[in-house]
């Protein structure tokens, strides 16, 4: 999961990108980068951390009216040096070309072995493979065609923003797996992973980059939308609604806050649990807890009985050093006087590893909770995501535990998930066909071969 | 406003202080400091920023079983160098003595002119004045008496934690203006500004340091509570409930989340407004908005239609440099599709300068809100606080504007405050007598002369 | 001018490289980088500044028994970001290949236009062009041949150290323009720009990488020297003796300290000047001043009447900011009581821009020098160097001034250079044929076309 | 040993101090600080490291026409936090007073026990004790008298620069143990530990602050020299000539470079050694080696056969962490081809611990030196210095070793010191009476009791 943003023909382009990346911080905080294009001059800056850590003078130096940016999500790669930070930037025939990519390609080893023997790589990133294939297919007279043809070779998921000489291009693969939206911004245009990032810069009218299309924005003001490519089969990622996206975003046509509450309400519908208190794990569990609390007849909703401490300040942990174990109480605050003596229902967005959940149960019991019930408004995650989220098989509790074993592991009195069927029903009620979504991590039906 | 913490006879004393200061980050993010005492050896570290920015090796070097810490609130002082950071530490007859103070003394100029001519100061802090008077009154055989006698000379507000040879002392002035609590922590003890900080280190049983008392904790395990001093007149600060304290804290005997919701409910009771949507300014306005939304018959409560971006990353702005103006949209995200076409009620904890409120109104209108009504669940702030909060007279909108002028300034369709009388009623309903509170900033009745 | 170092089959390879780069700091202080190879894993770290600024944990992370390093000389490039720092590292067919290069290629624009259309570049460096041509010519079965064939396409000057799978390669072009030496280091081997760097790690026995040869060191301990390539025409750079190299190095077969003194002695031989005091501009002018002082009958040699302040501490000047003008007195200290009333002879290694010289004259006169005579033990520099030294035409005083105009510019009473003929004589007396040297910057006979 | 500087009525006072502290870097590189006074406003900045590491904006903020600065010498104190960095600054009756001190007081424990019971200290520094006694004796109408009276209570050594309201004061105790000079600087005045620092800012005419006098410089331009105080007994430190001072300084009336060479010449006079090569340990041993080489008939002087690497870049070693052992070859470069097969004489300024000397012997032998002879142009140091140099008894090789045992320890073929008698003779030949010097560390005759 990453966040991308681009802008063309907008004054203070880099500051505009900074604001969008800041609004997209939910999509990645490991590294941030901005590339700006000023005619044929390029400027670039990337750092480990978040975009608001850019020194002001570095931001000021990113001049030019075209700019793109990237927030990087923490990944498992060990040697995660500066070379893997995006946007990627290369110079071809003295013209700078840059790319920011959100998604994941699944056929990299095959491509490297078949099409790219002897080709030198500067990074470990799948994006570089796409970029090199693209630059190899490069025809100045057929810029857009080169991109679409190259994307056709890739398997997996791709939304990307690319700077070309005199234009900015937004592309979304035909599965539409990841979101990408654009809108008019003053006399120019802005593109971003989520609508909330456009909203943050005052672009209140926006539209999707439709799955299987490419939109080109030229410096002379034209907007050219490509013909649709691909097989038309959609694979929208429902975890965007459950966990990733900002609650103020509209993703795949659905307001995130609406559907997140609805998942919670649906979970409550057939729940006969008797309890005293409903609380949600902030931030992403809060709205589902609100929905659950409203729909349930069981006890008071106390949304703030758990609060999340903002990480004001950063303990800089050097890579390779052992990270000092700091308890869940350093991350969350508990309103002990609300919890003591109560039967508590805890709503969290999903249950992946289970380690934090177990510790939260322990903290709640230590504070006098007589029962601790967990309610998850999404189905169990039984397999890894190949399309942009860094979950490893070995870390997925649901991969090799029954629900009751999971309940035991997190030491809960009960544990319920929203079933896949009812999860799909909620989605359909919001106007999106379940057959247009990817449930691979929940049902194992992966749609790529490599 | 500052946050203080102390601990004695606890293993990893400094790490314990770090956890408490992290949980007290709401009380000040300008500077953080820890002093530890290891027999007669002392160790100290302070920095501009928050406690989680301490380098690990500096934290590790703070050995010893007695430690105190301090979070500093941003103040107006221009030359805010390292010397004003707390805890203060001095050595008398080879024994280190340190103090961490929350509050504000009001008779500093008088004391400096009358009692401290010719005395050299290393800082601009009022705490140093108290400390020097204390060290002047110092009698090894009457340590506690020296402290109480010195405090008697001070006007204003004071909760403090002081390390003495072989003991740790917590003191709270007789007005009880600021909170201070303590509890048993393993084989030792811990003290903190708020109960939530004790909760964060697993100290679930705690009690107040009663107004006008001093509690001494010795290295041999004794706890000695002083006789009460002072005139017994309480001056509890209600803004602790409204704004400052963590929502998971219990302040002056009242759970913060309870009373914050109640202020919102009270505000709704007689409100005949017709609207479509109730939203709260996070974080401190959210619970009052919840209360208002529940008690009001006017429209849906949409607590997350405004979200606050976490400040992931810090743009380090050097003191004296102009801080680049960054809009309210960089701080808050708006769920535009919920707001468009709606009559909106905005609930915020208080209204001080009005500048942010005005910008929020503007953003809401830009997103299609047809009406914007502001509701403040506390009375107008008409005067500065002399007892620990850095508000300047010139910045207080209510100081020289009528409510209608304020409404106009923030461009609202309507603006209502909770009246002082009803504010007091809510407090009394929660078991605290209004006559035990300080309302100086709301009614102008300051209780100190200098 | 840059410094390069490499090592294979040596324990603590990266620490060994650090020591050699530290000993080569004279060859570049703008940036430093180390790449290590551990089987097929690679590790890399580079920073703006010097190698002793590497954080210890970054150095420790550079594991592996093959390592190469690079000191970068300040260059005129404006956008001198991380991508131009060496060693370059790329991965081909999962095998990491890295290069550290000292020298300068002169036919880059031609090569880019003719051979590399459509090829994407990640940096502005000439080294990357060589590297890409090399990787294009790549044949696993003919690794060494690929390198030699690629070098044949390049014009200009090149010494380089390259890591290949299972081996380390040192190459020096047939002009021998820049030095490169190697020696046995324990059970492995070490390579460096200068002998003093090998000496620093205890490698006291060493030999040159002969011009027009490549030496390969394999992980199984073999040393394979290639057949000679190129036309056999040498172009040794005499400025290595005059200015660049460490005085403890032996360059092109001549101890630097010997020849530097000899240049000074030669200059004194026919000098009929009458003066009181001879002083040298430290550090590189000191030995020539010693030689001049010994050979001259004119006055006392006072080598330390000018001392250079070590730059303890660094005022970090951000690129793009105006560097505050700090006088020559901030860089040099003058023994005023030795200078007052004296006729002074100042010996400096060379005279390039003349700005510092003019200020030194001014300082000497301010301290009471009655006459100031400049003596330069090398010929005037009338043209830029195309082969590794960043001098721009516009900055060369001798390019468009006669010696007398130069004398006037630096406000000297007299100014003498060592003539090119006598400069050559000194070189020949030390056993190197002048016809094997490059004097392009002194006589304008450049030996490359592009 | 520390370096101090002050200036009054000089534009860019702080930049002037920076230049002087940079020129005094030889007197301490552990910490640097500047305090400036702008009317009754004060500004201060200190850091661990050297003055050229001051951020430009911090330097720019140090406005005001009075400024003082301090270079701190590394000391043995473990907890060497910011509070021990000078200048000390305190505010008395709203007037800032600051002090920068070079020297060491020996009766601190006595004073603390007798005169300062119950007085709180913010640092571990002896300077603070003096400062507190001074502030206690403080009489606004008798400012200068307060200082002289306070100094009379102190034992040990003191040169200091003090800012008072409307004036700057330079004081030197009656022993004159440490140097202090002043001169007119434009329309104002400048004071510094060494003449070379005044020279660096263009103050070429200067005079000593005479032992046992105080010179006051007022903002209205007056210069008032006090009557002499003290017993008139001088205790000049000869190690200023041997080791501490800049070679461009004139200390106690003698040019440092003159006497340093003379010590070397004297050492050679009766030396019958036969050798091939004389070399000096840079930087402070170089001039004595020059002198020795000139006066000796034994072999060639090769001053640069050992060179010192400048510490370009700093490996930041955290206090408390084990400093990685880095060999002498990382600090010095050896011209191996000059050393091989030679009988070598090594001249170093003094021999204190012997550890570096032993390693240098080892490196010389490894490079083929057939004999290694050490010659020290100063007497053995048999006791610690109580007057400003941080040598500990346990570290002094000469304290419990005969010369032959020392020779054995450093593995030399021979070792000779300049005898105390001849050392004194050289001093007397330069016009200073040996009876005016302190030789306590060489003969054990300490002149203070405590």
């Amino acid at each position: 999961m990453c966040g991308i943003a681009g802008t063309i023909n907008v004054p203070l382009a880099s500051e505009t990108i900074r604001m969008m990346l800041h609004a997209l911080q939910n999509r990645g905080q490991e590294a941030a980068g901005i590339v700006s294009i000023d005619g044929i001059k390029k400027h670039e800056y990337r750092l480990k951390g978040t975009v608001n850590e850019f020194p002001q003078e570095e931001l000021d130096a990113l001049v030019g009216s075209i700019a793109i940016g990237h927030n990087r999500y923490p990944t498992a790669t060990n040697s995660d040096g500066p070379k893997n930070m995006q946007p990627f930037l290369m110079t071809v025939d003295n013209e700078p070309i840059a790319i920011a990519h959100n998604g994941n390609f699944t056929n990299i080893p095959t491509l490297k072995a078949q099409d790219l023997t002897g080709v030198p790589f500067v990074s470990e990133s799948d994006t570089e493979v796409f970029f090199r294939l693209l630059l190899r297919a490069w025809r100045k007279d057929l810029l857009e065609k080169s991109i679409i043809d190259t994307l056709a070779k890739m398997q997996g998921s791709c939304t990307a923003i690319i700077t070309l000489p005199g234009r900015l291009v937004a592309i979304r693969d035909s599965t539409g797996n990841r979101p990408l939206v654009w809108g008019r911004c003053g006399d120019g245009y802005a593109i971003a992973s989520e609508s909330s990032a456009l909203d943050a810069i005052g672009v209140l009218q926006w539209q999707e980059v439709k799955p299987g299309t490419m939109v080109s924005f030229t410096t002379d003001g034209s907007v050219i939308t490509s013909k649709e490519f691909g097989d038309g089969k959609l694979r929208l990622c429902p975890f965007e609604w459950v966990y990733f996206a900002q609650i103020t975003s509209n993703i795949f046509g659905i307001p995130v806050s609406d559907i997140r509450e609805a998942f919670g309400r649906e979970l409550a519908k057939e729940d006969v649990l008797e309890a005293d208190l409903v609380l949600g794990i902030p931030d992403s569990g809060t709205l589902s807890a609100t929905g659950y609390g409203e729909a349930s007849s069981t006890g008071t909703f106390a949304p703030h009985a758990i609060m999340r401490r903002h990480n004001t300040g950063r303990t800089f942990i050097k890579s390779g050093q052992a990270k000092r174990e700091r308890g869940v109480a350093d991350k969350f605050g508990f309103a002990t006087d609300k919890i003591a003596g109560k039967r508590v229902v805890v709503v969290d967005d999903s249950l992946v590893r289970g380690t934090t959940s177990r510790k939260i149960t322990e903290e709640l019991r230590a504070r006098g909770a007589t029962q601790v019930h967990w309610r998850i408004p999404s189905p169990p995650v039984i397999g890894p995501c190949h399309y942009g989220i860094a979950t490893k098989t070995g870390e997925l509790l649901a991969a090799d535990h029954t629900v009751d074993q999971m309940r035991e592991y997190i030491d809960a009195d009960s544990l319920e998930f929203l079933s896949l069927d009812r999860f799909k029903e909620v989605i359909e009620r919001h106007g999106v066909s379940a057959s247009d979504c990817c449930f691979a991590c929940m049902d194992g039906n992966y749609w790529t071969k490599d």
Side-chain angles (χ1 to χ4, degrees), chain A:
Chain A
M1 193 54 35
C2 298
I4 59 178
T7 193
I8 185 168
N9 285 2
V10 166
L12 293 174
S14 296
E15 170 63 14
T16 305
I17 295 292
R18 185 205 62 75
M19 289 181 73
M20 289 199 280
L21 290 184
H22 181 50
L24 291 170
Q25 213 65 79
N26 55 302
R27 297 183 80 82
Q29 307 187 11
E30 170 116 331
I34 297 178
V35 166
S36 71
I37 309 289
D38 184 20
I40 65 157
K41 275 188 176 171
K42 63 199 162 45
H43 308 277
E44 50 185 320
Y45 193 76
R46 300 168 194 83
L47 54 62
K48 204 160 187 166
T50 62
V51 72
N52 278 0
E53 294 175 82
F54 271 43
Q56 187 63 50
E57 69 268 23
E58 297 288 355
L59 193 60
D60 290 344
L62 295 165
V63 297
S65 65
I66 298 180
I68 65 174
H70 188 271
N71 282 337
R72 184 173 172 78
Y73 193 75
T75 60
T77 316
N78 269 332
S79 81
D80 201 24
K83 291 190 167 175
N84 287 327
M85 296 178 190
Q86 295 198 26
F88 270 80
L89 169 66
M90 298 190 109
T91 304
V92 183
D93 300 345
N94 295 318
E95 304 251 35
I97 297 166
I99 183 170
H101 169 223
N102 174 209
N104 194 51
F105 296 116
T106 57
N107 58 332
I108 295 304
T110 309
L111 288 168
K112 279 199 172 179
Q114 288 177 0
D115 296 357
L116 294 164
T117 359
V119 171
F121 289 91
V122 295
S123 77
E124 288 86 31
S125 160
D126 60 325
T127 307
E128 188 185 355
V129 173
F130 171 62
F131 202 27
R132 291 207 177 268
L133 284 172
L134 170 60
L135 294 174
R136 177 179 280 204
W138 199 244
R139 285 192 50 190
K140 278 210 181 178
D141 48 341
L142 290 167
L143 291 174
E144 277 82 358
K145 185 174 183 305
S146 315
I147 298 176
I148 293 169
D149 289 353
T150 305
L151 188 58
K153 294 183 187 166
M154 314 302 293
Q155 289 186 18
S157 127
C158 174
T159 64
I161 306 176
I162 305 171
T163 71
L164 300 177
R167 73 192 64 189
L168 186 67
V169 166
I171 190 163
R172 188 167 168 216
D173 72 58
S174 61
T175 69
N177 184 247
R178 299 290 152 203
L180 193 65
V181 294
W182 67 276
R184 185 154 190 89
C185 175
D187 294 332
Y189 294 92
I191 314 161
S193 292
E194 297 187 27
S195 63
S196 57
L198 296 181
D199 195 283
I201 59 165
V203 174
L204 307 180
Q205 306 295 329
W206 50 266
Q207 54 186 288
E208 282 195 68
V209 174
K210 292 214 184 78
T213 63
M214 184 169 75
V215 188
S216 298
F217 306 88
T218 67
T219 47
D220 58 15
S222 310
V223 181
I224 307 140
T225 303
S226 74
K227 277 191 293 187
E228 268 190 50
F229 50 83
D231 61 5
K233 176 65 189 130
L234 293 180
R235 311 281 187 181
L236 309 175
C237 172
F239 256 87
E240 292 280 345
W241 296 314
V242 169
Y243 176 81
F244 276 111
Q246 287 281 18
I247 55 169
T248 53
S249 283
N250 179 308
I251 297 286
F252 311 140
I254 304 175
V256 172
S257 58
D258 284 0
I259 197 166
R260 213 171 271 180
E261 262 193 83
F263 287 136
R265 270 197 305 273
E266 181 69 23
L267 185 61
K269 261 205 280 187
E270 301 182 11
D271 203 347
V272 295
L273 180 67
E274 280 190 30
D276 304 306
L277 201 72
V278 177
L279 47 82
I281 304 300
D283 292 345
S284 43
T286 307
L287 267 170
S288 293
T290 307
Y292 184 95
E294 282 171 17
S296 166
S297 54
T298 187
T300 317
F301 176 43
H304 294 282
I306 294 187
M307 55 152 285
R308 183 187 236 181
R309 306 192 199 290
H310 299 331
N311 186 19
T312 50
R314 296 193 320 147
T315 302
F316 186 67
I317 301 294
K318 298 285 168 46
S319 66
Q321 281 188 329
K323 184 164 182 167
R324 180 172 284 233
E325 176 81 20
R326 281 179 179 168
V328 78
D330 210 41
K331 191 171 172 192
F332 297 106
F334 298 86
T336 297
D337 48 16
K338 299 216 156 174
I339 292 161
K342 301 285 171 52
R343 294 168 299 175
V344 177
V345 185
V346 187
V347 182
D348 201 0
D349 50 43
S350 56
L351 197 156
V352 179
R353 290 180 195 81
T355 43
T356 300
S357 313
R358 188 169 56 176
K359 284 179 189 161
I360 288 172
T361 306
E362 186 186 331
E363 294 284 342
L364 290 169
R365 292 199 193 282
R367 276 157 184 80
T370 56
Q371 298 176 12
V372 179
H373 303 274
W374 283 80
R375 291 297 178 269
I376 310 297
S378 60
V381 175
I382 59 169
C385 175
H386 297 163
Y387 312 116
I389 307 174
T391 42
K392 295 184 200 154
T393 311
E395 294 174 355
L396 299 169
L397 194 62
D400 48 8
H401 290 74
T402 65
V403 170
D404 194 58
Q405 285 169 332
M406 293 167 77
R407 183 201 58 70
E408 196 169 1
Y409 179 78
I410 66 171
D411 191 28
D413 290 284
S414 73
L415 166 65
E416 300 281 348
F417 290 87
L418 190 59
S419 72
L420 184 52
D421 283 348
R422 289 167 66 199
F423 185 66
K424 290 181 179 176
E425 275 172 39
V426 174
I427 293 169
E428 300 227 325
R429 276 207 299 276
H430 283 80
V432 170
S433 167
S435 64
D436 288 345
C437 294
C438 166
F439 299 103
C441 66
M442 306 170 194
D443 64 10
N445 293 323
Y446 293 94
W447 38 278
T448 45
K449 294 170 202 162
D450 279 306

